[in-house]
């Protein structure tokens, strides 16, 4: 199989800061702390790094990290657009760079003081009335006050509920299961704070049909990974986590959070693109996946993701969830770190980190006999996904 | 209302005078000029020596309203010139605060001028605690009005001369359970407008249509399909040959949300937003009007209603269709 990147590169280092509501230090410092921790974890000297990849909204430039690491020859760097939708893509880009010999040691990083410096849910993003594309595009929404990610997702969710007779409780069951994992993860913001379905139903409306407990947190923090070739990985400190498959996805009628003009808005066809490509590269099927990190910025989009990846038939994710297959002890426990609902919102990179831990066997909520982990990135936007494997 | 016991200590401070706080600098033309520039004062009596020479003063004088400015500490808090008192004229507020009245709002600031102040004069002021009121309840909360009088003097060899006075009154209070927003007059506060859309050469016809009361939908002259939002080419056949048709403005609610949080001005909440499937076949997102959000239902018939906001932005909203 030479026509893909499967098993040519591995994640060999993992580092992170603590996750908080106010890190109290610069994003650059967070990036350096996570990067140095990841290199230490890998047993690789900082000066060996010759590639970087991150994704947009991250304000820390790779050249500054390179300078501070003492890198002298950096041959590959990329920053992938569309925020959380890109969360898995830097690992894919790094694997491509390593697989083709362009780079040998790539650092993937994410460092943001999202909660203390930005806040994505304010409804105010600085769009103006000049004719650049973004202003024109968001001009269909902003003048109506239709201006938060929760609202944009809610529009899809309402139609999904209507079409498949899913309910707010189904979304709630996602939140309850994920918070259950967070409750046993000391690194989670909601450690020892599980919720009940009743808590979910009683939580206030953010934007009908979304309750507060359907929405992820806002967080400060950083995560970094080190990727190198499968060959080199064999001789390093950690058990290699093979990059089995990686893909990005844009599908028909794609927009950023507002792909409302497609014939059907109950699916996530861009995630369908990712799913087909991941299965093609890896040769795996849904039955080969033991646990998954399903991007959970807002609970409603977890359901169509399960459908796009074939864990449930179209419109039947609610039955999968009602049966508890996504929860602790279920057929496909998802977001065992507590997800972005429960651990932290590090724009999906903390989910990739959990995928690494599940393959290594070091998760605090370790699933038995993990061979392959699916990780997905942000939904409603151009997206990405990974399969990480033990071999 | 009977006084609290602790108030006797507070009341004993009424009538107390606190020592001098000096000005850092003599009254000087540079600070006068800067103050006038910042405040937008253009009276040449304060800045133009030639003009001032023709007045009864014979030279420039300081603007009376600048009186308090001469004796301020400057950039760093409590950094008063040498010789100034170490006493704290605000200690009475600390005593009240300690009894559970944390908030403070200035309610009166009344300046009285005895005469103009001239260049080269060296000023100082003293502070008198003039009054502490009974406990009062206002819209802000419950607390005490505290009145201080600052008397400003000019140092003179023949005996210091009073030049003006500042009566300063604050209310030190416990905020009411649900503080009402302070009423602000329309003129004082710029009205927050709805965000304006970015309008490009590809989309201008749509917005001009709104102003004309027409819901214009882009039409491909090559493949005869409609598309929304408008674009420079047809997304079906990539033709640049585009014009528009005028929608009848009727359709059904394809999906909707009701926005509650965060409440962002100038929008009213809850704010219902619909995704409308027009009868012509395309979808358009828009605010919903004339309906109780609880009554919204996918599939219900709606029709367009153009509304103009801020006298400058006309938007297509949708309301329940008339029978």
């Amino acid at each position: 199989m030479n026509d893909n990147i499967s098993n040519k590169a591995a994640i060999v280092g993992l580092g992170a800061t603590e996750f908080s509501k106010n890190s109290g230090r610069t994003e650059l410092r967070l990036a350096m702390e996570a990067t140095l921790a990841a290199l230490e974890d890998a047993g690789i000297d900082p000066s060996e790094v010759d590639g970087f990849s991150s994704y947009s909204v991250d304000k820390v430039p790779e050249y500054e990290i390179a300078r501070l690491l003492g890198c002298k020859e950096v041959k590959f760097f990329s920053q992938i657009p569309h925020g959380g939708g890109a969360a898995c893509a830097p690992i894919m880009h790094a694997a491509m760079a390593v697989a083709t010999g362009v780079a040998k040691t790539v650092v993937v990083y994410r460092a943001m003081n999202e909660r203390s410096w930005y806040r994505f849910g304010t409804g105010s993003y600085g769009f103006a009335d000049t004719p650049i594309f973004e202003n024109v595009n968001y001009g269909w929404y902003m003048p109506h006050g239709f201006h938060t990610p929760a609202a944009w997702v809610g529009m899809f969710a309402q139609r999904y509920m209507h079409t498949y007779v899913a309910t707010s409780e189904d979304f709630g069951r996602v939140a309850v299961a994920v918070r259950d994992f967070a409750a046993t993860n000391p690194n989670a913001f909601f450690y020892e704070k599980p919720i009940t379905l009743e808590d979910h139903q009683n939580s206030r409306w953010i934007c009908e049909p979304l309750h507060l407990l359907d929405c992820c947190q806002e967080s400060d923090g950083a995560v970094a990974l080190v990727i190198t070739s499968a060959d080199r990985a064999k001789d390093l400190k950690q058990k290699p986590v093979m990059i089995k498959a990686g893909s990005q996805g844009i599908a028909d009628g794609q927009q950023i959070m507002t792909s409302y003009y497609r014939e059907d808005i109950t699916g996530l066809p861009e995630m369908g693109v990712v799913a087909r490509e991941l299965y093609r590269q890896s040769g795996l099927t849904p039955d080969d996946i033991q646990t998954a990190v399903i991007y959970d910025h807002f609970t409603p989009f977890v359901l169509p993701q399960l459908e796009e990846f074939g864990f449930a038939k179209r419109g039947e994710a609610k039955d999968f969830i009602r049966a508890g297959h996504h929860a602790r002890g279920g057929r496909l426990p998802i977001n065992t770190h507590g997800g972005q609902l429960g651990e932290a919102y590090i724009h999906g990179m903390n989910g990739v980190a959990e995928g690494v831990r599940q393959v290594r066997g070091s998760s605090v909520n370790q699933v038995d006999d993990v061979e392959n982990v699916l990780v997905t990135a942000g939904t409603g936007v151009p997206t990405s996904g990974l399969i990480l494997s033990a071999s | 209302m009977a006084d609290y016991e602790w108030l006797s200590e507070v009341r004993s401070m009424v009538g107390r005078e606190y020592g001098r706080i000096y000005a850092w600098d003599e009254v000087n033309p540079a600070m006068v000029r800067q103050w006038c520039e910042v405040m937008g004062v253009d009276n040449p009596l304060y800045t133009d020596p030639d003009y001032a020479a023709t007045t009864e003063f014979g030279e420039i004088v300081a603007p009376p309203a600048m009186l308090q400015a001469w004796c301020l500490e400057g950039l760093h808090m409590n950094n008063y010139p040498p010789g100034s008192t170490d006493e704290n004229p605000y200690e009475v507020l600390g005593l009240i605060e300690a009894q559970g009245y944390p908030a403070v709002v200035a309610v009166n600031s009344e300046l009285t001028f005895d005469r103009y102040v001239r260049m080269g004069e060296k000023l100082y002021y003293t502070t008198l605690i003039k009054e502490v009121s009974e406990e009062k309840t206002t819209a802000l909360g419950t607390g005490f009005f505290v009145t201080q009088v600052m008397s400003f003097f000019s140092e003179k060899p023949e005996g210091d001369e009073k030049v003006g006075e500042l009566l300063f009154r604050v209310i030190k209070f416990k905020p009411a359970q649900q503080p009402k927003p302070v009423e602000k007059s329309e003129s004082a506060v710029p009205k927050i407008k709805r965000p304006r859309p970015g309008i490009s050469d590809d989309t201008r016809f749509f917005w001009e249509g709104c102003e004309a009361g027409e819901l214009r939908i882009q039409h491909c002259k090559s493949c005869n399909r409609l598309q929304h939002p408008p674009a420079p080419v047809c997304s079906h056949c990539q033709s640049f040959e585009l014009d528009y048709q005028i929608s009848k403005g009727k359709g059904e609610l394809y999906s909707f949300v009701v926005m509650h949080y965060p409440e962002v001005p100038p929008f009213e909440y809850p704010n219902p937003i619909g995704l409308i499937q027009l009868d012509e076949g395309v979808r358009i997102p828009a605010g919903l009007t004339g309906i109780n959000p609880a009554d919204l239902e996918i599939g219900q018939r709606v029709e367009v209603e153009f509304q103009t906001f801020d006298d400058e932005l006309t938007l297509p909203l949708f309301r329940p269709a008339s029978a």
Side-chain angles (χ1 to χ4, degrees):
Chain A
M1 291 251 292
N2 283 327
D3 63 341
N4 75 52
I5 57 173
S6 190
N7 278 0
K8 301 214 170 73
I11 299 171
V12 295
L14 170 61
T17 65
E18 85 287 0
F19 305 136
S20 72
K21 300 297 177 194
N22 184 354
S23 72
R25 49 209 200 275
T26 61
E27 295 177 332
L28 178 59
R29 178 171 173 146
L30 297 180
M32 293 309 299
E33 289 180 16
T35 298
L36 288 166
L39 289 163
E40 168 73 25
D41 183 56
I44 290 178
D45 189 85
S47 63
E48 284 186 49
V49 175
D50 61 354
F52 290 92
S53 189
S54 185
Y55 49 112
S56 68
V57 204
D58 198 305
K59 301 279 198 291
V60 180
E62 78 294 309
Y63 60 78
E64 184 67 3
I65 299 179
R67 188 176 76 85
L68 296 175
L69 289 179
C71 301
K72 292 192 172 57
E73 292 197 30
V74 177
K75 301 158 196 161
F76 164 75
F77 34 92
S78 67
Q79 189 185 53
I80 297 138
H82 314 308
C88 293
I91 293 91
M92 170 206 178
H93 284 215
M96 293 196 297
V98 167
T100 52
V102 169
K104 290 190 170 65
T105 308
V106 181
V107 165
V108 164
Y109 65 95
R110 180 64 170 174
M112 269 188 86
N113 285 326
E114 192 280 336
R115 178 61 177 76
S116 64
W117 287 13
Y118 309 98
R119 308 206 69 172
F120 291 164
T122 60
S124 180
Y125 312 107
F127 294 120
D129 57 4
T130 56
I132 63 166
F133 177 78
E134 256 195 351
N135 295 337
V136 173
N137 180 57
Y138 285 99
W140 303 112
Y141 315 103
M142 296 296 174
H144 295 278
F146 184 33
H147 56 203
T148 62
W152 296 326
V153 168
M155 193 67 87
F156 291 97
Q158 188 85 255
R159 186 74 195 181
Y160 183 95
M161 294 164 81
H162 172 82
T163 305
Y164 300 121
V165 201
T167 64
S168 170
E169 284 91 344
D170 294 324
F171 302 153
R173 289 179 181 100
V174 172
V176 170
V178 167
R179 288 286 297 270
D180 172 56
F181 286 125
T184 52
N185 172 8
N187 291 325
F189 182 77
F190 286 120
Y191 176 53
E192 296 183 328
K193 292 192 178 108
I195 58 167
T196 64
L197 193 54
E198 197 180 13
D199 294 332
H200 172 272
Q201 289 295 295
N202 291 336
S203 67
R204 65 192 164 99
W205 290 122
I206 295 299
C207 175
E208 293 173 61
L210 271 67
H211 289 276
L212 173 67
L213 292 178
D214 287 309
C215 306
C216 72
Q217 308 174 57
E218 296 186 280
S219 310
D220 289 5
V223 174
L225 304 167
V226 182
I227 287 120
T228 191
S229 68
D231 276 349
R232 177 148 195 243
K234 289 175 197 157
D235 305 325
L236 293 170
K237 278 165 70 178
Q238 306 293 344
K239 173 183 172 183
V241 174
M242 306 309 295
I243 300 168
K244 193 83 162 184
S247 179
Q248 293 177 272
I250 283 178
D252 62 293
Q254 185 73 57
Q255 294 198 343
I256 301 280
M257 302 303 288
T258 58
S259 306
Y260 300 139
Y261 314 97
R262 294 167 161 164
E263 188 165 338
D264 175 31
I265 66 167
T266 62
L268 289 166
E270 55 276 11
M271 199 57 91
V273 171
V274 171
R276 287 187 294 280
E277 179 61 12
L278 295 186
Y279 290 141
R280 183 194 73 80
Q281 288 179 13
S282 63
L284 300 176
T285 69
D287 289 341
D288 299 317
I289 310 287
Q290 289 77 40
T291 178
V293 178
I294 304 292
Y295 200 90
D296 59 350
H297 52 358
F298 300 101
T299 57
F301 271 163
V302 169
L303 281 71
Q305 289 189 80
L306 292 170
E307 295 163 11
E308 296 290 352
F309 276 95
F311 297 112
K313 288 185 182 149
R314 185 74 64 194
E316 294 180 7
K318 63 179 191 300
D319 306 309
F320 185 94
I321 282 166
R322 286 173 193 173
H325 293 318
H326 68 305
R328 194 186 294 267
R331 193 168 96 204
L332 182 81
I334 64 167
N335 304 357
T336 50
H337 55 321
Q340 303 192 92
L341 296 162
E343 186 186 55
Y345 176 69
I346 311 297
H347 237 177
M349 192 56 84
N350 54 322
V352 180
E354 177 65 4
V356 170
R357 287 187 293 262
Q358 283 288 354
V359 173
R360 286 182 176 181
S362 62
S363 169
V364 291
N365 294 310
Q366 185 64 42
V367 173
D368 293 339
D369 304 320
V370 171
E371 182 66 24
N372 304 299
V373 181
L374 168 69
V375 185
T376 71
T379 40
V381 296
T383 190
S384 55
L386 292 170
I387 294 175
L388 304 178
S389 301
S391 59
Chain B
M1 183 183 289
D3 271 1
Y4 301 108
E5 206 169 304
W6 56 268
L7 261 177
S8 56
E9 188 188 353
V10 170
R11 297 227 181 275
S12 73
M13 300 173 85
V14 172
R16 176 157 178 198
E17 281 205 66
Y18 292 81
R20 299 177 181 190
I21 290 177
Y22 288 99
W24 271 106
D25 299 291
E26 292 177 354
V27 174
N28 66 82
M31 283 175 66
V32 167
R33 189 193 63 72
Q34 289 168 351
W35 188 91
C36 288
E37 184 179 323
V38 170
M39 303 300 286
V41 171
D42 58 6
N43 186 340
L45 175 61
Y46 307 137
T47 52
D48 182 347
D50 293 339
Y51 170 82
T54 68
T55 67
E56 62 181 288
F57 305 101
E59 60 176 11
I60 60 171
V61 294
M66 200 179 162
L67 185 60
Q68 197 188 358
W70 296 112
C71 296
L72 293 176
E73 64 262 59
L75 188 58
H76 304 290
M77 277 184 75
N78 299 319
N79 180 32
Y80 291 106
S84 299
T85 180
D86 290 332
E87 300 168 322
N88 177 7
Y90 298 100
E91 62 187 337
V92 63
L93 300 182
L95 292 177
I96 297 173
E97 175 157 332
Q99 300 298 328
Y101 300 81
V104 65
V105 166
V107 290
N108 295 78
S109 178
E110 296 168 11
L111 275 165
T112 311
F113 313 112
D114 292 7
R115 66 164 173 83
Y116 279 88
V117 173
R118 291 172 179 263
M119 299 305 114
E121 290 193 84
K122 183 84 177 156
L123 305 183
Y124 67 86
Y125 73 91
T126 60
T127 304
L128 169 74
I129 306 295
K130 189 171 161 68
E131 188 185 358
V132 176
S133 74
E134 305 281 296
E135 189 173 49
K136 305 270 190 189
T137 296
T138 75
L140 286 173
T142 298
F144 300 88
F145 289 95
V146 177
T147 308
Q148 295 174 317
V149 174
M150 287 91 157
S151 297
F152 289 79
F153 297 88
S154 175
E155 288 185 280
K156 298 282 178 196
E158 65 272 19
D160 297 350
E161 187 186 352
K162 191 171 176 193
V163 294
E165 192 176 281
L166 169 64
L167 181 146
F168 191 63
R169 184 177 291 132
V170 300
I171 178 169
K172 192 79 185 117
F173 65 103
K174 301 177 187 173
Q177 284 305 81
Q178 299 221 309
K180 289 180 186 167
V182 179
E183 292 284 334
K184 289 175 180 165
S185 70
E186 285 283 321
S187 58
V189 181
K191 188 170 172 348
I192 296 174
K193 296 177 176 181
R194 287 199 175 210
R196 289 184 56 82
I199 297 177
S200 73
D201 292 342
D202 305 325
T203 67
R204 186 169 293 105
F205 74 92
F206 178 90
W207 298 104
E208 289 174 349
C210 291
E211 286 175 18
E214 293 177 358
L215 188 61
R216 296 175 180 174
I217 303 297
Q218 196 168 44
H219 167 255
C220 175
K221 293 202 274 188
S222 301
C223 73
N224 202 31
R225 286 188 174 101
L226 297 175
Q227 71 175 5
H228 186 84
V233 299
C234 172
S235 65
H236 304 284
C237 72
Q238 288 69 52
S239 168
F240 287 89
E241 296 300 312
L242 302 164
D243 59 5
Y244 64 81
Q245 294 181 352
I246 298 170
S247 165
K248 291 195 171 64
K250 293 182 187 302
E252 64 177 48
L253 198 57
Y254 187 79
S255 190
F256 65 91
V257 294
V258 183
M259 300 185 66
H260 292 265
Y261 183 87
E263 294 191 357
V264 178
F267 300 101
E268 289 176 11
Y269 291 85
N271 180 18
I273 308 285
L275 180 60
I276 289 85
Q277 174 96 30
L278 292 173
D279 290 345
E280 290 86 356
V282 297
R283 278 181 218 137
I284 180 169
L288 298 171
T289 187
I291 188 165
N292 178 350
D295 297 335
L296 288 169
E297 220 175 315
I298 286 180
Q300 77 178 95
R301 297 289 299 168
V302 290
E303 63 190 15
V304 74
E305 175 181 320
F306 289 98
Q307 288 187 13
T308 300
F309 299 91
D310 314 313
D311 297 324
E312 62 175 26
L313 173 66
T314 302
L315 294 174
L317 306 188
F318 282 79
R319 65 184 176 218
S322 47

